Coordinates of all heavy atoms in Angstrom, one line a residue:
M1 N -7.5 -16.7 13.1 CA -6.7 -17.2 14.2 C -6.3 -16.0 15.1 O -6.0 -14.9 14.7 CB -5.4 -17.8 13.6 CG -4.4 -18.2 14.6 SD -2.9 -18.8 13.8 CE -2.0 -19.4 15.3
K2 N -6.4 -16.3 16.4 CA -6.0 -15.3 17.4 C -4.8 -15.7 18.2 O -4.6 -16.9 18.4 CB -7.2 -15.0 18.4 CG -8.3 -14.2 17.8 CD -9.2 -13.7 18.8 CE -10.1 -12.7 18.2 NZ -10.8 -11.9 19.2
W3 N -4.0 -14.8 18.5 CA -2.8 -15.0 19.4 C -2.7 -13.9 20.3 O -2.6 -12.7 19.9 CB -1.6 -15.2 18.5 CG -0.3 -15.2 19.4 CD1 0.1 -16.3 20.0 CD2 0.5 -14.2 19.7 NE1 1.2 -16.0 20.7 CE2 1.5 -14.7 20.6 CE3 0.6 -12.8 19.5 CZ2 2.5 -13.9 21.1 CZ3 1.5 -12.1 20.0 CH2 2.5 -12.6 20.8
N4 N -2.7 -14.1 21.6 CA -2.6 -13.1 22.6 C -3.5 -11.9 22.3 O -3.1 -10.8 22.5 CB -1.1 -12.7 22.7 CG -0.8 -11.9 23.9 OD1 -1.5 -12.0 24.9 ND2 0.2 -11.1 23.9
G5 N -4.7 -12.2 21.9 CA -5.7 -11.1 21.7 C -5.6 -10.5 20.3 O -6.4 -9.6 20.0
L6 N -4.7 -10.9 19.5 CA -4.5 -10.3 18.1 C -5.0 -11.3 17.1 O -4.8 -12.5 17.2 CB -3.0 -10.0 17.9 CG -2.3 -9.1 18.8 CD1 -0.9 -8.9 18.4 CD2 -3.0 -7.7 18.8
R7 N -5.6 -10.8 16.0 CA -6.0 -11.6 14.9 C -4.8 -11.6 13.9 O -4.2 -10.7 13.7 CB -7.2 -11.1 14.2 CG -8.4 -11.3 15.1 CD -9.7 -10.7 14.6 NE -9.9 -11.0 13.2 CZ -10.6 -10.3 12.3 NH1 -11.2 -9.2 12.8 NH2 -10.8 -10.6 11.1
R8 N -4.6 -12.8 13.3 CA -3.5 -13.0 12.4 C -3.7 -12.1 11.2 O -4.7 -12.1 10.5 CB -3.5 -14.4 12.0 CG -2.3 -14.8 11.2 CD -2.3 -16.3 10.8 NE -1.0 -16.6 10.3 CZ -0.2 -17.4 10.9 NH1 -0.5 -18.0 12.0 NH2 1.0 -17.7 10.4
D9 N -2.6 -11.3 10.9 CA -2.5 -10.5 9.7 C -3.6 -9.4 9.6 O -3.9 -8.9 8.5 CB -2.5 -11.3 8.4 CG -1.3 -12.2 8.3 OD1 -0.2 -11.8 8.8 OD2 -1.4 -13.4 7.8
V10 N -4.2 -9.0 10.7 CA -5.2 -7.9 10.7 C -4.7 -6.9 11.6 O -4.4 -7.1 12.8 CB -6.6 -8.5 11.1 CG1 -7.6 -7.3 11.2 CG2 -7.1 -9.5 10.2
W11 N -4.7 -5.6 11.2 CA -4.3 -4.5 12.1 C -5.4 -4.2 13.0 O -6.6 -4.1 12.6 CB -4.0 -3.2 11.2 CG -2.7 -3.3 10.5 CD1 -2.5 -3.5 9.2 CD2 -1.4 -3.2 11.1 NE1 -1.2 -3.5 8.9 CE2 -0.5 -3.3 10.0 CE3 -0.9 -2.9 12.3 CZ2 0.9 -3.2 10.2 CZ3 0.5 -2.8 12.5 CH2 1.4 -3.0 11.4
T12 N -5.1 -4.1 14.3 CA -6.1 -3.9 15.4 C -5.7 -2.7 16.1 O -4.5 -2.5 16.5 CB -6.2 -5.1 16.3 OG1 -6.5 -6.3 15.6 CG2 -7.2 -4.9 17.4
T13 N -6.6 -1.7 16.4 CA -6.3 -0.5 17.1 C -6.3 -0.9 18.6 O -7.2 -1.6 19.1 CB -7.3 0.6 16.8 OG1 -7.3 0.9 15.4 CG2 -7.0 1.9 17.6
S14 N -5.4 -0.4 19.4 CA -5.3 -0.6 20.8 C -6.6 -0.1 21.5 O -7.0 1.0 21.2 CB -4.1 0.1 21.4 OG -4.1 0.1 22.8
S15 N -7.1 -0.8 22.4 CA -8.3 -0.4 23.2 C -7.9 0.7 24.1 O -8.8 1.4 24.6 CB -8.9 -1.6 23.9 OG -8.0 -2.1 24.9
R16 N -6.6 0.9 24.4 CA -6.2 2.0 25.3 C -5.7 3.2 24.6 O -5.3 4.1 25.2 CB -5.1 1.4 26.2 CG -5.7 0.3 27.1 CD -4.8 0.1 28.3 NE -5.4 -0.8 29.2 CZ -5.0 -1.1 30.4 NH1 -4.0 -0.4 30.9 NH2 -5.5 -2.0 31.1
S17 N -5.8 3.2 23.3 CA -5.3 4.4 22.5 C -6.3 5.5 22.7 O -7.5 5.3 22.9 CB -5.3 4.0 21.1 OG -4.2 3.2 20.8
E18 N -5.8 6.7 22.7 CA -6.6 7.9 22.7 C -6.7 8.5 21.3 O -6.0 8.0 20.4 CB -5.9 9.0 23.7 CG -5.7 8.5 25.1 CD -4.9 9.4 25.9 OE1 -4.5 10.5 25.4 OE2 -4.6 9.0 27.0
Q19 N -7.6 9.4 21.2 CA -7.8 10.1 19.8 C -6.5 10.6 19.3 O -6.2 10.5 18.1 CB -8.8 11.2 19.9 CG -10.2 10.7 20.3 CD -11.0 10.3 19.1 OE1 -10.5 10.5 18.0 NE2 -12.1 9.7 19.3
V20 N -5.6 11.1 20.1 CA -4.4 11.8 19.6 C -3.2 10.8 19.4 O -2.4 10.9 18.6 CB -3.9 12.8 20.7 CG1 -2.7 13.5 20.2 CG2 -5.1 13.8 20.9
A21 N -3.1 9.8 20.3 CA -2.0 8.8 20.2 C -2.5 7.4 20.1 O -2.6 6.7 21.0 CB -1.2 9.0 21.5
C22 N -2.8 7.0 18.8 CA -3.3 5.6 18.6 C -2.2 4.7 18.0 O -1.4 5.2 17.2 CB -4.4 5.7 17.6 SG -5.8 6.6 18.2
V23 N -2.2 3.5 18.4 CA -1.3 2.5 17.8 C -2.1 1.4 17.3 O -3.2 1.1 17.8 CB -0.2 2.0 18.8 CG1 0.7 3.1 19.2 CG2 -0.8 1.3 20.0
E24 N -1.6 0.7 16.3 CA -2.2 -0.5 15.8 C -1.2 -1.7 15.8 O 0.0 -1.4 15.7 CB -2.7 -0.3 14.3 CG -3.7 0.8 14.2 CD -4.1 1.0 12.8 OE1 -3.2 0.9 11.9 OE2 -5.3 1.3 12.5
V25 N -1.7 -2.9 16.0 CA -0.8 -4.0 16.1 C -1.4 -5.2 15.2 O -2.6 -5.2 15.0 CB -0.6 -4.5 17.5 CG1 0.1 -3.5 18.4 CG2 -2.0 -4.8 18.2
R26 N -0.5 -6.0 14.8 CA -0.9 -7.3 14.1 C 0.1 -8.3 14.3 O 1.3 -8.0 14.7 CB -1.1 -7.0 12.6 CG 0.1 -6.9 11.8 CD -0.1 -6.7 10.4 NE 1.2 -6.5 9.7 CZ 1.3 -6.1 8.4 NH1 0.3 -6.0 7.7 NH2 2.5 -5.9 7.9
T27 N -0.2 -9.6 14.1 CA 0.8 -10.6 14.2 C 0.7 -11.6 13.0 O -0.4 -11.6 12.3 CB 0.5 -11.4 15.5 OG1 1.6 -12.4 15.6 CG2 -0.8 -12.2 15.5
D28 N 1.8 -12.2 12.7 CA 1.7 -13.3 11.7 C 1.9 -14.6 12.4 O 2.1 -15.6 11.8 CB 2.8 -13.0 10.6 CG 4.2 -13.1 11.2 OD1 4.4 -13.4 12.4 OD2 5.2 -12.8 10.4
G29 N 1.9 -14.6 13.7 CA 2.1 -15.8 14.5 C 3.5 -16.0 15.0 O 3.8 -16.7 15.9
E30 N 4.5 -15.3 14.3 CA 5.9 -15.4 14.7 C 6.5 -14.1 15.2 O 7.5 -14.1 15.8 CB 6.7 -16.0 13.5 CG 6.3 -17.4 13.1 CD 7.1 -17.9 12.0 OE1 8.3 -17.5 11.9 OE2 6.7 -18.9 11.4
S31 N 5.8 -13.0 14.9 CA 6.3 -11.7 15.3 C 5.1 -10.8 15.4 O 4.0 -11.1 15.0 CB 7.3 -11.1 14.4 OG 6.7 -10.9 13.1
V32 N 5.3 -9.6 16.1 CA 4.2 -8.6 16.2 C 4.7 -7.3 15.6 O 5.8 -6.9 15.9 CB 3.9 -8.4 17.7 CG1 2.8 -7.4 17.9 CG2 3.4 -9.8 18.4
D33 N 3.8 -6.7 14.8 CA 4.1 -5.4 14.2 C 3.3 -4.4 14.9 O 2.1 -4.6 15.2 CB 3.7 -5.4 12.7 CG 4.5 -6.4 11.8 OD1 5.6 -6.7 12.2 OD2 3.9 -6.9 10.8
I34 N 3.9 -3.2 15.1 CA 3.3 -2.1 15.8 C 3.5 -0.9 14.9 O 4.6 -0.6 14.4 CB 3.9 -1.9 17.1 CG1 3.9 -3.1 18.0 CG2 3.2 -0.7 17.9 CD1 4.9 -3.1 19.1
R35 N 2.4 -0.1 14.7 CA 2.5 1.1 13.9 C 1.6 2.2 14.4 O 0.7 2.0 15.2 CB 2.2 0.9 12.4 CG 0.7 0.7 12.2 CD 0.4 0.5 10.7 NE -1.0 0.2 10.5 CZ -1.6 -0.1 9.4 NH1 -0.8 -0.3 8.3 NH2 -2.9 -0.3 9.3
D36 N 1.9 3.5 14.0 CA 1.1 4.6 14.4 C -0.1 4.6 13.5 O 0.0 4.7 12.2 CB 2.0 5.9 14.2 CG 1.2 7.2 14.6 OD1 0.0 7.2 14.7 OD2 1.9 8.2 14.7
S37 N -1.3 4.6 14.0 CA -2.5 4.6 13.2 C -2.7 5.8 12.4 O -3.4 5.8 11.4 CB -3.7 4.3 14.0 OG -4.0 5.4 14.9
K38 N -2.1 6.9 12.7 CA -2.2 8.2 12.0 C -1.2 8.3 10.9 O -1.2 9.1 10.0 CB -2.1 9.4 12.9 CG -3.2 9.3 14.0 CD -3.6 10.7 14.4 CE -4.6 10.7 15.5 NZ -5.9 10.3 15.2
R39 N -0.2 7.4 10.9 CA 0.9 7.4 9.8 C 1.0 5.9 9.3 O 2.1 5.3 9.5 CB 2.2 7.9 10.4 CG 2.1 9.3 10.7 CD 3.5 9.8 11.1 NE 3.5 11.2 11.3 CZ 4.2 12.1 10.7 NH1 5.1 11.7 9.8 NH2 4.1 13.4 10.9
R40 N 0.0 5.4 8.8 CA 0.0 4.0 8.4 C 1.1 3.6 7.4 O 1.5 2.5 7.3 CB -1.4 3.6 7.9 CG -2.4 3.6 9.0 CD -3.7 3.1 8.6 NE -4.6 3.0 9.7 CZ -5.9 3.3 9.7 NH1 -6.5 3.7 8.6 NH2 -6.6 3.1 10.8
S41 N 1.5 4.6 6.6 CA 2.5 4.3 5.6 C 3.9 4.5 6.2 O 4.9 4.4 5.5 CB 2.3 5.2 4.4 OG 2.5 6.5 4.7
G42 N 4.0 4.9 7.5 CA 5.3 5.1 8.1 C 5.9 3.9 8.6 O 5.7 2.7 8.1
Y43 N 6.8 4.0 9.5 CA 7.6 2.9 10.1 C 6.8 1.9 10.8 O 5.8 2.3 11.4 CB 8.7 3.4 11.0 CG 9.8 4.2 10.3 CD1 9.8 5.6 10.4 CD2 10.7 3.6 9.5 CE1 10.8 6.3 9.7 CE2 11.7 4.3 8.9 CZ 11.7 5.7 9.0 OH 12.7 6.4 8.3
V44 N 7.2 0.7 10.8 CA 6.5 -0.4 11.6 C 7.6 -1.0 12.5 O 8.7 -1.4 12.0 CB 6.0 -1.5 10.6 CG1 5.5 -2.7 11.4 CG2 4.9 -0.9 9.8
L45 N 7.3 -1.1 13.8 CA 8.2 -1.7 14.7 C 7.8 -3.2 14.8 O 6.6 -3.5 15.0 CB 8.0 -1.0 16.1 CG 8.8 -1.6 17.3 CD1 10.3 -1.5 17.0 CD2 8.3 -0.9 18.6
N46 N 8.8 -4.0 14.7 CA 8.6 -5.5 14.7 C 9.2 -6.0 15.9 O 10.4 -5.8 16.1 CB 9.2 -6.1 13.4 CG 8.9 -7.6 13.4 OD1 9.7 -8.3 13.8 ND2 7.8 -7.9 12.8
V47 N 8.5 -6.8 16.8 CA 9.0 -7.3 18.0 C 8.6 -8.8 18.1 O 7.7 -9.3 17.4 CB 8.5 -6.6 19.3 CG1 9.0 -5.1 19.2 CG2 7.0 -6.6 19.4
S48 N 9.3 -9.5 19.0 CA 9.0 -10.9 19.2 C 7.7 -11.0 20.0 O 7.3 -10.1 20.7 CB 10.1 -11.6 20.0 OG 10.1 -11.1 21.3
P49 N 7.0 -12.2 19.9 CA 5.8 -12.4 20.7 C 6.1 -12.2 22.2 O 5.2 -11.7 23.0 CB 5.3 -13.8 20.4 CG 5.9 -14.0 19.0 CD 7.2 -13.3 19.0
E50 N 7.2 -12.7 22.6 CA 7.6 -12.6 24.1 C 7.7 -11.1 24.5 O 7.3 -10.8 25.6 CB 8.9 -13.4 24.3 CG 8.8 -14.8 24.1 CD 8.9 -15.3 22.6 OE1 9.3 -14.5 21.8 OE2 8.5 -16.4 22.3
A51 N 8.3 -10.3 23.7 CA 8.5 -8.9 24.0 C 7.1 -8.2 24.0 O 6.9 -7.4 24.9 CB 9.4 -8.2 23.0
W52 N 6.2 -8.5 23.1 CA 4.9 -8.0 23.1 C 4.1 -8.4 24.4 O 3.5 -7.5 25.0 CB 4.1 -8.4 21.8 CG 2.7 -7.9 21.9 CD1 1.6 -8.7 22.0 CD2 2.3 -6.6 21.7 NE1 0.5 -7.9 22.0 CE2 0.9 -6.6 21.8 CE3 2.9 -5.4 21.6 CZ2 0.1 -5.4 21.8 CZ3 2.1 -4.2 21.5 CH2 0.7 -4.3 21.6
T53 N 4.2 -9.6 24.7 CA 3.5 -10.1 25.9 C 4.0 -9.4 27.2 O 3.3 -9.0 28.0 CB 3.7 -11.6 26.1 OG1 3.1 -12.3 24.9 CG2 3.0 -12.2 27.3
A54 N 5.4 -9.2 27.3 CA 5.9 -8.5 28.4 C 5.5 -7.1 28.5 O 5.1 -6.6 29.5 CB 7.5 -8.6 28.3
F55 N 5.4 -6.4 27.3 CA 4.9 -5.0 27.2 C 3.5 -4.9 27.7 O 3.1 -4.1 28.5 CB 5.1 -4.5 25.8 CG 4.6 -3.1 25.6 CD1 5.3 -2.0 26.1 CD2 3.3 -2.9 25.0 CE1 4.8 -0.7 25.9 CE2 2.8 -1.6 24.8 CZ 3.6 -0.6 25.3
V56 N 2.6 -5.8 27.2 CA 1.2 -5.8 27.5 C 1.0 -6.0 29.0 O 0.2 -5.4 29.7 CB 0.4 -6.8 26.7 CG1 -1.0 -6.9 27.2 CG2 0.4 -6.3 25.2
R57 N 1.7 -7.0 29.6 CA 1.6 -7.3 31.0 C 2.0 -6.1 31.9 O 1.5 -5.9 33.0 CB 2.5 -8.5 31.4 CG 1.9 -9.8 30.9 CD 2.7 -10.9 31.4 NE 2.1 -12.2 30.9 CZ 2.7 -13.3 30.7 NH1 4.0 -13.3 30.9 NH2 2.1 -14.3 30.2
M58 N 3.0 -5.3 31.4 CA 3.4 -4.1 32.1 C 2.3 -3.1 32.4 O 2.2 -2.4 33.4 CB 4.5 -3.3 31.4 CG 5.9 -3.5 31.9 SD 7.1 -2.6 31.0 CE 6.3 -1.5 30.0
W59 N 1.4 -3.1 31.4 CA 0.3 -2.1 31.4 C -1.0 -2.6 31.9 O -2.0 -1.9 31.9 CB 0.1 -1.4 30.0 CG 1.4 -0.7 29.7 CD1 2.4 -1.1 28.8 CD2 1.9 0.5 30.2 NE1 3.4 -0.2 28.8 CE2 3.1 0.8 29.6 CE3 1.3 1.5 31.1 CZ2 3.8 2.0 29.9 CZ3 2.1 2.6 31.4 CH2 3.3 2.8 30.8
N60 N -1.1 -3.9 32.2 CA -2.4 -4.5 32.7 C -2.4 -4.6 34.2 O -1.5 -4.7 34.9 CB -2.6 -5.8 32.0 CG -3.2 -5.7 30.6 OD1 -3.8 -4.7 30.3 ND2 -2.8 -6.6 29.8

């Protein structure tokens, strides 16, 4: 299942990430998780789908 370009429960690396500063995102359909791809066991930021959509629109 895809939502706003994200596959459900699968971490996806941002297409705009650079080698040094990469982020990964995933969704469960109700929220969006964001993490640092270089620290996968670190903190995960959890935001609403609306907040994620607003963030993505800012950069497109």
Side-chain angles (χ1 to χ4, degrees):
M1 173 181 187
K2 285 196 171 194
W3 172 81
N4 197 21
L6 301 179
R7 289 177 47 204
R8 188 180 193 111
D9 296 325
V10 176
W11 287 104
T12 304
T13 302
S14 170
S15 62
R16 295 199 177 193
S17 289
E18 299 172 7
Q19 294 275 350
V20 180
C22 298
V23 296
E24 296 178 326
V25 294
R26 73 176 176 190
T27 185
D28 64 4
E30 295 184 22
S31 64
V32 178
D33 296 330
I34 306 162
R35 73 178 179 188
D36 182 343
S37 65
K38 300 214 185 283
R39 293 184 176 238
R40 292 184 172 145
S41 62
Y43 292 104
V44 173
L45 176 63
N46 182 270
V47 298
S48 70
E50 295 80 16
W52 175 251
T53 298
F55 177 78
V56 170
R57 283 186 183 154
M58 255 182 11
W59 298 102
N60 283 329

